[in-house]
Amino acid sequence: MTTLEFYNQNAESFFKDTIQVDMCELYRPFIQRLKPKGRILDAGCGSGRDAKAFLEMGFQVDAMDASVEMVKLASEYTGLPVKLQMFESINEVEAYDGIWTCASLLHLPEAELPNVFTQLTNSLKPGGFWYMSFKYGNGQREKDGRVFTDMDEQKMQALLKGCPKLKLFQQWVTEDIRPLRSERWLNVIAHKCAS
């Protein structure tokens, strides 16, 4: 089973498990940096939970996911035309005030991250902010057919070095807030230089 097959086969249960998770503490440091009514890309939107929250806060939101079944559920939940799209095919240039990649980039093989970082950086407006989260650790692993690339502070710094326009703005570790989970997460906000 591949990562995509996992989400296509388990879309309903994943939706139910994640839709009610309270993300306010993670939204706050991201949205307070964005201009009101700014444009956000929720890349790898899963259930659409975060895209809907940003819409309700008055932002313009584009959402995409690589799983056909997640796109159907997220479109229905948010009312947005969620795009069926892979990270590698994001090609907008300086289109977004903010990019939100919550627990989504972690499914890319480590070798693909530098190119995707460059593409997403290109999609961010100068002065824009980008939130991302990875399970805390170092290395690549597989679980239930899904690829996970774990990230710690050192690996993140190395990745950001490959994107000279992108600077680390804030980085912190949190505990998983879902019931019966004991994982830790690396949360990162990066800033695209204005010049």
Side-chain angles (χ1 to χ4, degrees):
M1 186 187 294
T2 65
T3 302
L4 272 183
E5 285 168 346
F6 175 91
Y7 284 106
N8 283 328
Q9 288 176 21
N10 297 280
E12 291 280 354
S13 60
F14 182 81
F15 183 91
K16 286 179 188 142
D17 288 349
T18 57
I19 202 71
Q20 297 299 330
V21 177
D22 182 354
M23 300 291 286
C24 289
E25 288 302 311
L26 294 178
Y27 296 151
R28 197 169 294 120
F30 173 66
I31 58 166
Q32 68 189 13
R33 312 274 168 238
L34 305 182
K35 68 177 189 181
K37 299 182 181 162
R39 189 172 175 208
I40 295 173
L41 172 65
D42 186 351
C45 70
S47 64
R49 172 198 62 209
D50 304 333
K52 185 168 186 177
F54 296 139
L55 267 179
E56 289 171 351
M57 293 174 205
F59 292 100
Q60 302 168 63
V61 182
D62 291 347
M64 51 75 64
D65 201 276
S67 157
V68 175
E69 296 304 320
M70 292 311 306
V71 164
K72 286 180 194 167
L73 291 171
S75 296
E76 198 175 296
Y77 181 67
T78 61
L80 288 168
V82 177
K83 272 195 210 169
L84 178 65
Q85 189 175 20
M86 308 283 275
F87 288 114
E88 302 88 301
S89 65
I90 294 172
N91 55 13
E92 286 82 1
V93 177
E94 296 184 359
Y96 298 104
D97 299 289
I99 294 176
W100 179 263
T101 51
C102 180
S104 56
L105 292 170
L106 53 73
H107 288 309
L108 288 175
E110 197 168 334
E112 292 177 21
L113 283 171
N115 282 342
V116 169
F117 263 53
T118 299
Q119 282 172 271
L120 286 172
T121 300
N122 290 341
S123 294
L124 196 58
K125 290 179 184 175
F129 287 86
W130 174 5
Y131 169 86
M132 58 191 100
S133 63
F134 291 83
K135 292 189 183 197
Y136 193 82
N138 191 330
Q140 192 172 296
R141 60 194 166 84
E142 197 176 295
K143 183 183 176 192
D144 303 326
R146 292 181 292 171
V147 169
F148 285 94
T149 296
D150 297 337
M151 193 70 60
D152 61 17
E153 295 87 347
Q154 291 73 31
K155 277 182 71 176
M156 179 54 63
Q157 282 177 345
L159 262 175
L160 290 172
K161 274 188 184 150
C163 287
K165 292 180 183 172
L166 206 58
K167 300 292 177 216
L168 179 64
F169 183 79
Q170 190 177 350
Q171 181 169 247
W172 71 104
V173 177
T174 52
E175 301 291 327
D176 201 310
I177 56 177
R178 293 171 295 176
L180 308 174
R181 297 292 186 106
S182 57
E183 293 160 316
R184 298 169 76 218
W185 291 82
L186 180 70
N187 303 272
V188 175
I189 295 178
H191 178 240
K192 185 173 178 178
C193 304
S195 56

